């Protein structure tokens, strides 16, 4: 086998059958060549043996004399389709053009290989195709109504001696171009045009064949797009030598001109305006030239927006083709004449404003008695505006009660006057507003106090919600035309401008209420002049001189200004010396009496004198304080703290102002002994687990007292740090009656507190732990019995702290752990030795038997 490569010239396989008088195009191409990309071609023709030169792409003198006239006229020409292909075009081919055509290419190859020419046979047959209208008539005119049906016919026949097929296409002229409707191809297949696929599938467009070679186009449900000129286009096809189909000629004939009368639906009225509660009258007209029997189906739509799709539209009323109307109370639909339908809406309101549509469908009877819908149209929307009837009225606001002082009542009345065009379908509601007094350069802001909706439901604003719920502010409707706002107890924050807005509501057909108008009143100012509250408190000591054990008595007189019907609450305080340990802050709240004359003990903690202080109200502005059996520890400055209260809303009291009296001093001049306290320990450094002894030693100076005339309260404290920067922790206490009180402890150590002599107290910490370290001190409260037998409490005395250090005994701490560790190590070692011996003795023993060799003289290595 060998592979050969060379120039190839190709023409179609013959014979080519063509019809006389038509245009013939014979292509020729070359491939697999060398040289330039653009190749030249020569065409020659032969009827029998000799070839005549027709035309060349490169030589103008190539044409024979017989063909020069036809080539010069353009009846024969070459048309280059690419660099390597041309087409021979022969117009108006005649029987004399039947024969062999040869296409050749001059060589541009380096070597001669392949073929340089090719021939094709052309056969010319007579024209046997005839196309005409129905019964040979010329183009006719049809005038139809939208939705009608029509049929067009054309006749096509061929008498060609060859076996040819016909391709029939119905076309409509759209503008200046023809558009395919439906075709019956030369292969016997139906093919709808680009815009007619759906109508073909629905059966509205059909192509049928009839007798006498007739082709019938049937169109149902004609629409406006079906109007125009119709023609029948017939082409003749023959199967070539390569089994492909070739179109050999094409003829057409205009059949008819169809005019479609459009059916329009219009509303006779343009955009209109209607007054509320009047009637709305609209008429829907159907425009059609249909003269036969038909019935119309009408629907009226309403939409809030001009939406042609009617997706959100509401159906108002409908009338079917039998003139049956759907039921409605306020809307009626009537058939005025053959093509007019009237919509009447009675008692319109604002909600009827919007867009109205009329949709009509035309039905025609069929031969079998059924009805067929031929067309459906929707009118353009008509805009209807319903003008509301606004009631006429005025609003007047006045204050029937104005406050002169704080907490006085305020009442405002909002009245409707000169009301016109109001009735049962009109309702009034009120909204209350407040404007605060501001400086001239500030913006005045409005605050909503309350408003009513259409059903008179009260909606409260943030400013008045809580006070209204508590009954401090009352909103009411006194009469049909009067609304009231009452503030039971007006405060300074209520000063400002007030105004009301009266809203008119109209009732619609569905019993809903819609606001139609707002009228605002003039503002009414609520204001009164205010002065600062003044409160003066004076304390007076009734007995200028007294001694310990006697009763201390003082009075507090109060005077106030610019406070309406005040009441007073009184608090007695005492400022103790800084040496008093019971109150490091210096001020003690003793007893109080509130504005309702309820007495309460505050920070009075002396259980032995629970009833020793009394505070009572002598007059409206005078209070008396007594303290029985005074002690030396009661020395200090005493004051009256007074608070003035004025009546507030809801029976509550509002704090107005506070006042403080002058101080009254209690000072005892005594010549008794002076007590000193110190803390001592023989061994402040101890080891864990040992006993710590701490002594609290009391010494006296000055007047000597019998031991029975002295008694002491002793308390021990500890600060768990090296410095005194933490809060002290109470350890234990011993009162003068010998009762010991211990604080709760978390450690394992224990405490004991005892009196070992009249002036010495010992604290013992048993089994000290590391957390028992720190600064330890005692606080002593001396009690001295006076000559009258009354025990007097002296000021507390605090001793200087002593630091207790707790160390760890290293030997005792590690003794037992070392002994236990050595014992465990010995036991584990012995156990390991025992396990090893047993394993080697019984478990791992192996007996090896070998032949005993006698030892004699040495032998050579090879023998061994």
């Amino acid at each position: 086998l060998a592979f050969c490569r060379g120039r190839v010239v190709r023409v179609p396989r013959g014979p080519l059958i063509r019809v006389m008088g038509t245009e013939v195009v014979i292509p020729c191409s070359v491939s697999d060549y060398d040289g330039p990309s653009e190749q030249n071609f020569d065409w020659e023709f032969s009827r029998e043996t000799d070839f005549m030169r027709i035309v060349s792409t490169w030589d103008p003198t190539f044409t024979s004399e017989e063909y020069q006239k036809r080539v010069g006229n353009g009846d024969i020409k070459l048309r280059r389709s690419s660099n390597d292909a041309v087409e021979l075009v022969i117009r108006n081919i005649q029987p004399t053009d039947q024969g062999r055509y040869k296409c050749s290419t001059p060589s541009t190859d380096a070597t001669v290989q392949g073929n340089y020419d090719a021939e094709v046979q052309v056969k010319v047959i007579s024209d046997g195709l005839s196309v005409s209208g129905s019964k040979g008539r010329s183009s006719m005119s049809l005038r139809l109504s939208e939705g009608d049906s029509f049929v067009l016919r054309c006749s096509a026949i061929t008498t060609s001696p060859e076996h040819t097929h016909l391709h029939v296409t119905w076309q409509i002229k759209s503008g200046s171009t023809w558009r395919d409707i439906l075709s019956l191809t030369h292969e016997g297949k139906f093919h709808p045009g680009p815009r007619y696929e759906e109508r073909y599938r629905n059966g509205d467009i059909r192509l049928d064949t009839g007798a006498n070679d007739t082709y019938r186009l049937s169109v149902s449900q004609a629409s406006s797009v079906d109007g125009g000129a119709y023609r029948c286009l017939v082409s003749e096809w023959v199967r070539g030598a390569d089994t492909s189909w070739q179109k050999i000629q094409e003829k057409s004939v205009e059949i008819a001109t169809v005019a479609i009368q459009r059916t329009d639906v219009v509303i006779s009225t343009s955009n209109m305006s209607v007054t509320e509660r009047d009637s709305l009258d609209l008429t829907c007209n159907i425009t059609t030239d249909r003269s036969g029997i038909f019935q119309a189906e009408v629907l009226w739509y309403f939409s809030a927006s001009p939406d042609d799709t009617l997706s959100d539209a509401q159906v108002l009323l409908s009338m079917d083709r039998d003139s049956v109307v759907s039921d409605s109370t306020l809307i009626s639909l009537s058939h005025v004449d053959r093509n007019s339908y009237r919509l009447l809406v009675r008692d319109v309101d604002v909600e009827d404003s919007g867009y109205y549509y009329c949709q009509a469908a035309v039905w025609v009877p069929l031969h079998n008695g059924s009805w067929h819908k031929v067309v459906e149209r929707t009118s353009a929307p008509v805009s209807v505006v319903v003008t509301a009837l606004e009631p006429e009225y005025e609003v007047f606001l006045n204050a029937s009660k104005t406050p002169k002082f704080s907490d006085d009542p305020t009442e405002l009345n909002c009245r409707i006057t000169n009301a016109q065009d109001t009735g049962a379908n009109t309702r009034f509601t009120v909204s209350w507003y407040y404007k605060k007094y501001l400086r001239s350069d500030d913006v005045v802001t409005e605050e909503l106090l309350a408003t009513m909706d259409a059903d008179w439901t009260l909606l409260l604003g943030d400013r008045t919600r809580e006070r209204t719920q508590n009954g401090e502010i009352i909103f009411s409707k006194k009469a049909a035309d009067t609304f009231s706002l009452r503030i039971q107890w007006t405060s300074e924050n209520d000063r400002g401008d007030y105004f009301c807005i009266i809203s008119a509501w109209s009732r619609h057909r569905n019993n809903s209420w819609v606001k139609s108008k707002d009228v605002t009143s003039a503002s009414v100012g609520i204001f009164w002049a205010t002065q600062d509250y003044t409160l003066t408190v004076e304390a007076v000591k009734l007995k200028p001189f007294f001694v310990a054990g006697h009763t201390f008595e003082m009075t507090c007189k109060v005077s106030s200004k610019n406070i309406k019907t005040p009441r007073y609450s009184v608090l007695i305080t005492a400022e103790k010396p800084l040496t008093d340990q019971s109150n490091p802050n210096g001020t003690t709240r003793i007893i109080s009496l509130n504005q309702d004359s309820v007495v309460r003990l505050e920070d009075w903690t002396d259980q032995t004198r629970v009833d020793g202080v009394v505070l009572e109200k002598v007059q409206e502005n005078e209070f008396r304080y007594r303290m029985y059996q005074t002690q030396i520890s009661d020395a200090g400055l005493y004051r009256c703290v007074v608070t003035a209260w004025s009546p507030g809303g809801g029976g509550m009291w509002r704090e107005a102002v506070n006042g403080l009296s002058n101080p009254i001093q209690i000072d005892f001049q005594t010549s008794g002994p002076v007590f000193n306290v110190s803390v001592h320990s023989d061994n402040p450094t101890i080891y864990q687990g040992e006993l710590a002894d701490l002594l609290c030693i009391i010494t006296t100076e000055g007047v000597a007292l019998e031991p029975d005339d002295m008694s002491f309260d002793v308390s021990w404290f500890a600060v768990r740090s090296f410095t005194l920067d933490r809060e002290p922790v109470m350890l234990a206490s011993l009162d003068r009656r010998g009762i010991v009180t211990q604080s709760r402890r978390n450690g394992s150590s224990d405490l004991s507190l005892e009196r070992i002599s009249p002036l010495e107290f010992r604290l013992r910490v048993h089994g000290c732990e590391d957390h028992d370290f720190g600064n330890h001190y005692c606080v002593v409260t001396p009690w001295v019995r006076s000559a009258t037998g009354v025990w007097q409490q002296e000021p507390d005395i605090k001793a200087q702290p002593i630091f207790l250090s707790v160390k760890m005994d290293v030997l005792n701490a590690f003794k037992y752990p070392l002994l236990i560790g050595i014992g465990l190590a010995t036991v584990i070692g012995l156990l390991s030795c025992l396990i090893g011996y047993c394993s080697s003795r019984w478990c791992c023993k192996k007996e090896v038997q070998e032949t005993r060799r006698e030892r004699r003289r040495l032998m050579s290595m090879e023998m061994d």
Side-chain angles (χ1 to χ4, degrees):
L1 296 176
F3 179 78
C4 297
R5 180 180 180 272
R7 177 184 294 260
V8 177
V9 178
R10 294 185 180 89
V11 292
R13 291 180 59 185
L16 299 181
I17 300 176
R18 296 296 182 262
V19 178
M20 182 179 63
T22 62
E23 183 180 87
V24 177
V25 177
I26 306 174
C28 177
S29 64
V30 61
S31 62
D32 299 332
Y33 57 88
D34 295 332
S37 60
E38 183 175 281
Q39 293 290 300
N40 290 311
F41 297 86
D42 297 332
W43 280 91
E44 296 174 289
F45 170 70
S46 174
R47 292 190 181 90
E48 295 179 356
T49 57
D50 297 333
F51 280 93
M52 293 177 291
R53 292 175 293 177
I54 303 176
V55 67
S56 174
T57 60
W58 63 282
D59 186 4
T61 64
F62 179 79
T63 306
S64 299
E65 183 179 358
E66 183 179 353
Y67 288 97
Q68 286 181 357
K69 183 178 179 180
R70 297 179 66 185
V71 172
N73 295 335
D75 292 339
I76 299 176
K77 61 182 179 178
L78 282 179
R79 186 166 56 201
R80 184 178 289 274
S81 56
S82 65
N83 288 336
D84 56 2
V86 296
E87 293 177 342
L88 175 64
V89 180
I90 304 174
R91 293 191 303 181
N92 191 17
I93 193 170
Q94 297 299 320
T96 58
D97 295 324
Q98 179 174 300
R100 289 180 297 134
Y101 288 83
K102 180 173 67 173
C103 175
S104 60
T105 59
S107 176
T108 58
D109 303 328
T111 59
V112 178
Q113 288 183 347
N115 67 311
Y116 287 81
D117 56 57
E119 295 182 9
V120 61
Q121 178 73 27
V122 175
K123 183 179 181 181
V124 179
I125 62 175
S126 60
D127 184 4
L129 178 62
S130 174
V131 181
S132 63
S134 177
K135 298 181 181 179
R137 292 183 299 181
S138 60
S139 178
M140 62 180 178
S141 297
L142 296 178
R143 186 175 182 84
L144 305 172
S145 297
E146 194 172 13
D148 287 348
S149 301
F150 62 92
V151 177
L152 301 178
R153 295 177 177 83
C154 81
S155 177
I157 188 172
T158 180
T159 60
S160 174
E162 299 293 330
H163 182 69
T164 60
H165 288 201
L166 297 183
H167 182 119
V168 180
T169 301
W170 281 94
Q171 293 181 322
I172 183 173
K173 192 172 185 180
S174 176
S176 59
T177 61
W178 292 92
R179 189 172 66 247
D180 291 349
I181 300 175
L182 185 59
S183 301
L184 175 60
T185 69
H186 53 278
E187 295 179 320
K189 297 179 181 179
F190 290 98
H191 182 69
R195 303 182 183 180
Y196 294 88
E197 291 90 345
E198 185 176 357
R199 296 180 67 181
Y200 173 73
R201 289 193 296 267
N202 296 336
D204 293 336
I205 294 178
R206 300 192 315 274
L207 178 56
D208 303 318
T209 59
N212 300 323
D213 301 308
T214 303
Y215 297 89
R216 184 172 61 249
L217 175 67
S218 301
V219 179
S220 302
Q221 296 288 320
S223 62
S224 58
V225 297
D226 295 326
Y230 286 78
R231 76 175 183 179
C232 179
L233 179 65
V234 181
S235 58
E236 189 173 7
W237 295 70
V238 65
R239 191 183 294 273
D242 58 352
T243 70
S244 64
W245 286 98
Q246 299 173 8
K247 182 167 69 172
I248 58 176
Q249 71 168 326
E250 184 177 78
K251 292 182 180 181
S252 64
V253 61
E254 289 196 19
I255 303 301
T257 300
V258 179
I260 304 298
Q261 177 65 30
R262 177 182 172 87
T263 300
D264 288 329
V265 177
V266 296
I267 300 177
S268 60
T269 306
S270 59
N271 297 342
M272 60 185 303
S273 177
V274 182
T275 306
E276 188 179 12
R277 298 174 189 171
D278 285 349
S279 296
L280 173 63
D281 191 351
L282 300 175
T283 301
C284 178
N285 295 321
I286 303 174
T287 303
T288 180
D289 59 352
R290 189 179 299 276
S291 59
I293 300 174
F294 71 92
Q295 294 290 346
E297 182 181 35
V298 179
L299 284 89
W300 280 93
Y301 289 92
F302 169 78
S303 176
S305 60
D307 185 8
D308 294 337
T309 61
L310 302 179
S311 58
D312 298 329
Q314 172 190 356
V315 177
L316 297 178
L317 271 183
S318 63
M319 176 185 290
D320 61 12
R321 62 176 184 270
D322 296 327
S323 299
V324 177
V325 182
S326 57
D327 186 23
S328 181
T329 304
L330 299 175
I331 306 176
S332 61
L333 178 59
S334 58
H335 194 173
V336 180
D337 54 30
R338 177 179 173 86
N339 296 331
S340 299
Y341 297 85
R342 178 189 180 193
L343 175 70
L344 181 63
V345 182
R346 293 179 291 273
D347 193 17
V348 297
D349 56 22
V350 179
E351 290 183 349
D352 294 325
S353 297
Y355 297 87
Y356 290 77
Y357 301 82
C358 175
Q359 186 181 79
V362 177
W363 296 73
V364 296
L366 299 179
H367 298 290
N368 57 4
S370 62
W371 288 84
H372 174 65
K373 182 166 67 175
V374 294
V375 67
E376 185 177 77
R377 287 284 184 272
T378 302
S379 69
V382 171
S383 176
V384 176
V385 178
V386 178
T387 305
L389 285 175
E390 293 186 354
E392 298 293 333
Y393 59 95
E394 297 177 357
V395 179
F396 176 72
L397 178 65
N398 70 310
S400 58
K401 290 184 180 181
T402 56
K404 297 181 179 180
F405 297 96
S406 178
D407 298 327
D408 282 353
T410 300
E411 186 169 349
L412 302 174
N413 293 321
C414 186
R415 183 175 293 106
I416 303 171
T417 60
N418 301 327
Q420 298 178 3
D421 296 330
T422 61
N425 293 324
T426 303
R427 178 178 290 181
F428 294 100
T429 61
V430 67
S431 298
W432 292 95
Y433 288 88
Y434 163 80
K435 291 188 296 185
K436 187 177 181 179
Y437 281 129
L438 297 175
R439 296 193 302 271
S440 59
D441 56 346
D442 291 339
V443 178
V444 179
T445 58
E446 299 177 357
E447 294 186 60
L448 176 65
L449 302 179
T451 184
M452 291 182 180
D453 57 12
D455 58 355
W456 292 317
T457 301
L458 185 64
L459 305 175
L460 300 174
D462 296 335
R463 180 181 179 88
T464 60
R465 181 174 290 107
E466 183 177 357
R467 296 177 67 186
T468 303
Q469 293 172 353
N470 295 334
E472 300 179 27
I473 299 179
I474 300 174
F475 299 94
S476 61
K477 183 178 181 181
K478 289 187 173 181
D481 59 350
T482 304
F483 299 89
S484 174
L485 164 63
R486 179 180 176 88
I487 304 176
Q488 300 284 68
W489 301 279
T490 310
S491 65
E492 295 180 3
N493 293 331
D494 296 326
R495 293 186 298 181
D497 288 334
Y498 292 79
F499 65 93
C500 62
I501 298 178
I502 298 296
S503 302
W505 299 75
S506 300
R507 182 165 57 186
H508 288 187
R509 291 195 305 264
N510 57 359
N511 291 325
S512 64
W513 293 89
V514 177
K515 184 187 295 186
S516 58
K517 191 176 183 180
D518 286 333
V519 177
T520 305
S521 71
S523 299
V524 173
I526 300 299
F527 181 80
W528 66 92
T530 60
Q531 297 180 356
D532 294 335
Y533 296 142
T534 303
L535 182 66
T536 303
V537 183
E538 180 184 4
V540 179
K541 183 168 62 175
L542 299 181
K543 294 180 181 181
F545 304 101
F546 65 97
V547 296
H550 288 184
T551 301
F552 169 73
E553 185 174 357
M554 75 174 190
T555 60
C556 297
K557 293 185 178 181
V558 184
S559 61
S560 62
K561 294 181 180 179
N562 303 324
I563 304 177
K564 181 182 178 181
T565 61
R567 285 192 183 182
Y568 307 102
S569 61
V570 182
L571 171 65
I572 304 299
T573 63
E575 298 178 10
K576 299 297 185 67
L578 295 177
T579 56
D580 187 0
Q581 299 296 323
S582 63
N583 188 8
N585 296 327
T587 302
T588 303
R589 299 160 54 93
I590 299 176
I591 192 172
S592 64
L593 183 144
N594 65 9
Q595 67 271 18
D596 294 326
S597 300
V598 178
V599 179
R600 175 185 175 185
L601 286 176
E602 299 292 338
D603 297 334
W604 185 262
T605 58
D606 193 347
Q607 299 297 324
T608 60
R609 293 192 300 160
V610 175
D611 299 329
V613 289
V614 176
L615 180 60
E616 56 186 353
K617 184 177 181 180
V618 180
Q619 297 179 7
E620 285 295 329
N621 61 343
E622 184 177 352
F623 302 88
R624 180 168 55 203
Y625 170 67
R626 286 195 183 101
M627 183 168 56
Y628 301 100
Q629 296 181 359
T630 56
Q631 307 287 337
I632 296 177
S633 60
D634 296 330
L637 297 177
Y638 287 75
R639 299 177 186 268
C640 297
V641 180
V642 179
T643 302
W645 300 78
S646 62
M652 306 297 293
W653 290 95
R654 181 171 57 87
E655 181 178 341
V657 67
N658 295 318
L660 183 66
S661 72
N662 56 297
I664 301 296
Q665 184 175 12
I666 298 179
D667 187 14
F668 297 97
Q669 300 295 331
T670 61
S671 58
V674 176
F675 298 93
N676 296 314
V677 180
S678 62
V679 177
H680 174 74
S681 176
D682 293 336
N683 188 12
T685 300
I686 59 175
Y687 291 97
Q688 287 185 355
E690 292 184 351
L691 174 67
D693 282 342
L694 301 175
L695 295 178
C696 183
I697 303 174
I698 304 171
T699 60
T700 62
E701 297 178 1
V703 180
L705 296 177
E706 294 294 331
D708 294 339
D709 293 334
M710 296 183 297
S711 183
F712 304 95
D713 291 339
V714 180
S715 300
W716 281 92
F717 294 89
V719 180
R720 306 298 188 191
S721 66
F722 294 97
T723 58
L724 299 175
D725 57 349
R726 293 187 180 181
E727 289 291 331
V729 177
M730 195 192 78
L731 302 177
S733 64
L734 176 67
D735 63 8
R736 59 194 180 95
R737 296 179 180 84
I739 300 174
V740 177
T741 303
Q742 292 188 7
S743 64
R744 185 175 179 181
R745 294 168 55 81
N746 294 327
S748 60
S749 58
D750 198 3
L751 298 174
S752 64
L753 178 60
E754 58 184 343
R755 181 176 183 178
I756 59 176
S757 70
L759 298 178
E760 292 184 354
F761 297 85
R762 180 170 62 192
L763 174 68
R764 285 184 171 181
V765 183
H766 303 274
C768 289
E769 300 291 343
D770 55 353
H771 58 263
D772 289 323
F773 85 102
N775 292 281
H776 292 67
Y777 64 89
C778 64
V779 177
V780 177
T781 304
W783 291 80
V784 179
R785 183 161 54 185
S786 63
T788 59
V790 178
W791 288 94
Q792 299 292 331
Q793 182 180 354
E794 299 289 333
D796 293 343
I797 306 170
K798 177 182 177 182
Q800 291 294 325
I802 184 174
F803 188 79
L804 180 63
S805 178
V806 180
K807 296 183 177 181
M808 183 175 64
D809 190 350
V810 178
L811 180 60
N812 291 331
F814 287 97
K815 179 172 62 177
Y816 292 108
L818 286 174
L819 292 175
I820 294 173
I822 293 171
L824 289 176
T826 303
V827 172
I828 293 173
L830 293 175
L831 184 60
S832 299
C833 292
L834 180 60
I835 293 173
Y837 174 77
C838 292
S839 299
S840 63
R841 184 72 178 84
W842 289 289
C843 298
C844 300
K845 184 178 179 182
K846 181 178 181 183
E847 295 182 359
V848 181
Q849 295 181 359
E850 59 179 337
T851 307
R852 183 177 180 182
R853 178 179 299 170
E854 294 182 357
R855 295 189 179 180
R856 295 182 181 178
R857 61 180 179 82
L858 296 174
M859 59 183 65
S860 62
M861 185 178 297
E862 291 79 0
M863 293 178 65
D864 189 29

